[in-house]
Structure formats: C-alpha cells, structure tokens
Amino acid sequence: MADHYNNPLRDFEADLDLPEGFTTRQPATHDEHASAAIRWLEKSKPGRQKFWPALTLAFVAQAEALLNHLGKPSQPDVFDEVERKRTSAIKAVDQLVWVSNKREIGTRRYYNMAEDVIISKMRRQHPSTPAHATSKWEMYRPFISSIFAATPEGRTAVAEWIWEHGVLAAELTLTTAFRKRQPRPFYEMLESLDTGSGTTGGALFQALVYGYLYADSPTLTVTSQRVNTGSRRAKVIGDVSGYLGENIVLAAEAKDKDLTHRDKQDLLTFVREADPFPDLDAVVFARSFDAEIREFLESSKVRTFPRDEMLKTVRLWDVPKQENAVRAVRFFLGRIQQSNELLQRVIDFEQGVYERAQMDSDG
C-alpha cells in the first residue's frame, strides 16, 4: 500500500499548478543558482518550520507563474527588479505578492495546492498552517532569489530535490486508517449546515465566517457584532474584524448569497470604509461571485472568498483547529448574536456529526 503513496513529482504537475512539461525538463543540477537554493535548504532553512516542503514548492510554482507572465526564463535580483505588494510591520497575516502589470501573484494559493497534495494525496505528515506558513516568506528570501535566478531546468532540479527530501522522506500517515474516524465538525458545518438567510437573516453564515477567522488567525483579536447592527454604528469595518493590539489589520464582510454585479451598490460601503487603510486585509465571504463583482472587488483591493474555497482550506485543518472554529461559532451565536434558537440548531448539528461518526466506526 505504501508504494501507492510514493508517486513522482510528475504525477502532480497540474495539482501544483506547475506549467505543463515542467518535470520533463532535464534537471540542471550544475546550475549555480539551483545549487545555491538546494544548499540553502540543506544548511540554512529554518529548523523548526515543518511546513517548508509545501512552502518551497509554492515558491517554485509562484516563480514559474510570474516568469511566464513576464515572458522571461529567469529573473536575477528579483527583489530589486520586480514590484511586490508592500505591507507594514503590523500586518499579522501576510504573504509574498508579486505585482506585474497590475496583476497580483500571491503565494497562498500555491501553498494551499502543495499542502493538499502532500497531506491528502501523498498521505505525509505535514502541518496545515497556510496563513502562518506564508507569513514567514521573508525568512526564505535567499531561496526565493536563487530560484528566480536559476534556469527553468534549474528550478526543476530544485523542485525534484524538495519532492525527494521533503515529501517522499516524510513519514506516512496511513496508520490513521486503523483508528476510529475522527469527524471534521467545522468542515461538515460549512458543507451541510443550512444557513439560508431567509430564516436566519445571515447570522449563521456570519457565525461561520467568525469561526473561520477566529481559528485561522490565532495572533489576532477577532471581534464581531450582531447581524444588521451596521458597521458605522458599531465603529468597525465590515462584519468581522481582526486586531493586532489596537490596530485593525483584517476586515471581513459576510454575504450569505451568490454575489453578482447587482450587489455592487450593497458592497460600496465596505469598500469605501476599507479604502483608507492600505495595510488592511479586506475580504468578502459569500456563497459565490460572478466575474463582474469579483473584478470590481479585486480592483478595489478586496479579496473574494467563496464558500467552496473555505471548504478546500478547512478540509486540511486538523481536528483541534476545527473544534476551535466550532466553539467560536457557538460563542458568536450565544454571546454576540444572542440567539438561543440558532445556537441550539448548531449544537444539534454538531451532535449529529459525532453520532454519525460513531455509527460509522461501529459499523
């Protein structure tokens, strides 16, 4: 069975969003910049950061995307030659974002894909900490500089080295198949809990967004207010806010609907309130976004996060993190929204998740 989880890198080109034919390049181990990148991984990478395989694979895929956009095979001195999105020292959750002709190419999506391959498809032990991992990019600057300066064949050599020493060499998690199934309660809530605004006024979806951000941003103080309070009256930006000390660094708007161009007017207040804060991570959560509303928000420096993307991310969370998110959902409904009815609905749903898991284990 273990051989099934020793696939070569070439099996996952598409899953990692590497360019087609990436692994058919002849790895150029003699490339001085590729050798420098590998040497840095061997001798200088941060010792306690167990997420380095997914993060470094993400940097390689991100480099390939940017270089393709630039029409170049390599880019020496990339930190001097290519614009990147600037953030202040107070920003808690960060990532490396390159900017080319107004297009932003961030690390996070590539990290999520690499983490999914390593944990779900290769069944290797690996942390599930996307926000924390990508915020550490500054510590990898020598590695990033080297892979950008390397030839395309050199970057393939680096990726193959990471695959061999960071993925294949990691411990398999197949032993979990012999334990009782552990339910992922927050994932199942996101997937199956009916949040229909017609009966809940959007409170259940806002509770899920609050739980997601609370669990995923442990360095922030995450706050919210009752649905329909109004951000101006509550003196906050959006429905859920994240603070680092006294500084607001995260603002989220929760919309329990499929957003289209018709919702632009409804989102203008959030966009305008977030605009004066250049270091604010502003994001709208919704069931889905059509192309026009997504373009409007992203051109306003507001990220879009559909429910299916939440599911993809949460699926990789470990059980304690999922349970922490569920506790935050219950806190929101019980203490902020103060709705015993909705709180009981969540409690009943959570109990059903554990009962079904127990039945599956017994069966």
Side-chain angles (χ1 to χ4, degrees), residues 15 30 70 77 120 145 152 217 241 244 247 293 302 304 332:
D15 299 278
H30 59 278
L70 295 172
D77 304 317
S120 302
S145 295
S217 307
S241 305
L244 192 63
N247 299 301
I293 195 67
V302 176
T304 56
F332 176 89

Side-chain angles (χ1 to χ4, degrees), residues 99-334:
V99 181
S100 175
N101 294 326
K102 298 184 179 180
R103 179 186 174 188
E104 295 186 355
I105 301 175
T107 311
R108 184 73 57 79
R109 69 179 297 271
Y110 298 103
Y111 181 89
N112 287 341
M113 298 171 89
E115 189 181 88
D116 183 41
V117 166
I118 294 170
I119 295 175
S120 302
K121 298 181 178 177
M122 292 296 289
R123 301 290 182 91
R124 291 313 199 271
Q125 292 191 7
H126 190 284
S128 178
T129 54
H132 176 67
T134 57
S135 73
K136 301 300 181 183
W137 69 266
E138 286 270 14
M139 302 176 74
Y140 291 76
R141 281 181 74 122
F143 174 82
I144 297 167
S145 295
S146 294
I147 60 173
F148 269 101
T151 61
E153 293 77 15
R155 284 189 297 279
T156 296
V158 173
E160 293 285 7
W161 189 94
I162 297 167
W163 193 258
E164 179 182 353
H165 297 272
V167 180
L168 294 178
E171 186 175 348
L172 279 162
T173 58
L174 291 176
T175 52
T176 58
F178 301 99
R179 297 204 301 262
K180 287 186 176 181
R181 173 183 175 270
Q182 291 182 288
R184 265 56 178 173
F186 191 58
Y187 177 84
E188 298 204 28
M189 276 189 184
L190 278 173
E191 185 178 46
S192 303
L193 182 64
D194 182 10
T195 59
S197 298
T199 57
T200 69
L204 270 180
F205 186 66
Q206 186 167 323
L208 291 175
V209 171
Y210 177 85
Y212 177 93
L213 293 173
Y214 181 91
D216 201 45
S217 307
T219 60
L220 301 185
T221 301
V222 179
T223 65
S224 189
Q225 64 280 340
R226 294 182 66 171
V227 170
N228 298 325
T229 298
S231 58
R232 184 167 298 179
R233 182 150 57 98
K235 298 182 179 180
V236 295
I237 300 174
D239 297 318
V240 183
S241 305
Y243 290 83
L244 192 63
E246 73 280 14
N247 299 301
I248 184 168
V249 295
L250 172 68
E253 188 81 351
K255 296 294 184 184
D256 190 19
K257 60 186 297 189
D258 299 300
L259 292 179
T260 71
H261 64 281
R262 297 184 182 88
D263 297 295
K264 180 178 177 179
Q265 192 66 33
D266 188 35
L267 293 166
L268 277 176
T269 299
F270 177 69
V271 170
R272 288 168 178 164
E273 290 178 349
D275 184 64
F277 299 87
D279 299 314
L280 181 68
D281 184 13
V283 55
V284 174
F285 290 80
R287 294 181 193 170
S288 66
F289 301 81
D290 75 6
E292 189 171 334
I293 195 67
R294 185 187 293 274
E295 182 179 355
F296 162 68
L297 289 169
E298 292 180 352
S299 67
S300 304
K301 306 302 182 185
V302 176
R303 290 194 295 123
T304 56
F305 211 50
R307 193 159 174 167
D308 62 347
E309 287 296 323
M310 292 176 72
L311 278 167
K312 289 178 184 177
T313 303
V314 170
R315 185 165 65 88
L316 301 175
W317 288 4
D318 57 30
V319 173
K321 186 172 181 178
Q322 300 230 5
E323 291 173 340
N324 197 29
V326 171
R327 284 191 291 269
V329 170
R330 292 170 61 167
F331 175 83
F332 176 89
L333 294 172

Side-chain angles (χ1 to χ4, degrees), residues 25-88:
R25 301 170 182 168
Q26 186 62 39
T29 53
H30 59 278
D31 182 318
E32 62 173 316
H33 299 294
S35 298
I38 292 171
R39 209 162 40 244
W40 187 88
L41 290 174
E42 290 176 319
K43 301 181 181 299
S44 303
K45 71 177 183 295
R48 295 185 178 182
Q49 294 182 1
K50 305 301 183 184
F51 50 73
W52 72 266
L55 186 59
T56 51
L57 283 172
F59 288 140
V60 173
Q62 182 186 27
E64 291 287 334
L66 177 60
L67 290 167
N68 179 65
H69 190 66
L70 295 172
K72 296 181 177 181
S74 60
Q75 178 60 71
D77 304 317
V78 65
F79 286 101
D80 296 324
E81 299 297 327
V82 180
E83 181 187 356
R84 67 182 187 277
K85 190 174 182 180
R86 303 283 179 171
T87 55
S88 73

